[in-house]
Amino acid sequence: GPLEPAQIAENEAFGPETLVCSEHFSGDGDHAWIRAGFIGELRNQLPRALRIIPPDPTLAEAAAIGSLEKRVLELESLLLDALDRLRERTRDVHDLELDSREREREVLKLQTALKRISSRVGNLGGLDAQLRRMTNALEVNEKNVGSIRNSFEQGLEEAARTAAKTVAEALHAVQEATKIAEKATAIAAGNKKRRRKKRKRTKKKKSGPDPFAI
């Protein structure tokens, strides 16, 4: 290494139990190596059926899960900022809608005025035809204004649904990550306690009975 996640995934033996070490790790020892299933970038390179977090995490692996939870919280913050920007855009669209309605009223007034002029012109065919073309052009502009308003409204509704769905997924991910981190920490602490007891029993067996004991 160092290798990119895609390069590691090309290895035929790569799986969730594959041990990897971050290039930014500055220490040494076995705790420098953690299983690929605890690293989101590597876990996403696996087939969907294998994208699982391995059991019995070590303390280093539990810390990696905690880092994942922090990233999810950062994502939630970004989504909330996006919602704020969406609300600002909603206000802009509302202002645009008011402006378009005002223009519609002006178009209607102009159409009414043109019809009155047309009716007064009477037999002046050329001027009458020109006024009719202007009236038709105004009707087309009115339709375009309505179409633009409908497009804005549809886009706004779709953006609101997408933002709400994304926030819900992010909150669910935060809850799941918190549960996993708590479980992983508890398991790691239990494993550490069992290893201590095992070392104590091994030490007692090696020392043997006291020859001077009565």
Side-chain angles (χ1 to χ4, degrees):
L3 299 174
E4 295 294 328
Q7 294 176 308
I8 298 176
E10 292 176 356
N11 192 316
E12 295 180 357
F14 175 67
E17 295 286 341
T18 302
L19 293 175
V20 295
C21 178
S22 172
E23 64 176 317
H24 302 296
F25 186 80
S26 58
D28 55 14
D30 293 341
H31 60 283
W33 297 85
I34 62 176
R35 287 170 285 182
F38 288 95
I39 301 177
E41 295 178 350
L42 295 178
R43 188 168 60 250
N44 291 335
Q45 298 293 329
L46 295 167
R48 186 173 297 276
L50 297 178
R51 294 178 187 176
I52 57 174
I53 295 179
D56 299 328
T58 63
L59 290 176
E61 292 169 341
I65 295 177
S67 177
L68 173 63
E69 178 184 0
K70 181 179 179 181
R71 291 183 182 179
V72 172
L73 290 174
E74 291 174 353
L75 174 61
E76 181 185 7
S77 177
L78 291 175
L79 288 173
L80 292 176
D81 291 339
L83 282 176
D84 290 337
R85 290 194 296 271
L86 180 61
R87 293 189 187 98
E88 292 178 359
R89 183 168 181 178
T90 301
R91 290 191 290 269
D92 293 339
V93 171
H94 178 67
D95 294 340
L96 179 61
E97 183 179 4
L98 294 177
D99 184 62
S100 68
R101 289 178 180 176
E102 182 63 27
R103 291 190 178 186
E104 285 180 0
R105 286 192 289 269
E106 293 176 357
V107 168
L108 290 175
K109 291 179 181 179
L110 185 55
Q111 283 181 339
T112 302
L114 287 174
K115 288 178 181 179
R116 290 176 181 174
I117 294 173
S118 179
S119 63
R120 292 178 182 178
V121 169
N123 296 327
L124 297 177
L127 181 58
D128 184 63
Q130 184 178 0
L131 290 174
R132 287 180 181 178
R133 287 195 296 271
M134 293 176 65
T135 301
N136 292 334
L138 288 173
E139 291 176 353
V140 170
N141 287 335
E142 181 183 1
K143 292 180 181 179
N144 290 337
V145 169
S147 177
I148 291 173
R149 186 177 68 251
N150 292 334
S151 298
F152 270 113
E153 290 176 351
Q154 293 174 0
L156 181 62
E157 291 176 359
E158 182 64 24
R161 287 194 297 269
T162 301
K165 181 179 178 181
T166 305
V167 170
E169 291 176 351
L171 291 175
H172 179 72
V174 170
Q175 294 173 354
E176 291 297 323
T178 301
K179 291 179 181 179
I180 292 173
E182 292 175 350
K183 183 178 179 181
T185 302
I187 292 174
N191 290 342
K192 185 175 181 180
K193 186 176 181 181
R194 286 194 294 271
R195 286 194 295 269
R196 288 179 177 175
K197 290 182 178 179
K198 186 176 180 180
R199 285 197 297 268
K200 289 181 179 180
R201 290 195 298 268
T202 303
K203 188 173 182 181
K204 288 180 179 181
K205 290 180 180 180
K206 289 182 178 181
S207 61
D210 187 357
F212 297 101
I214 299 176

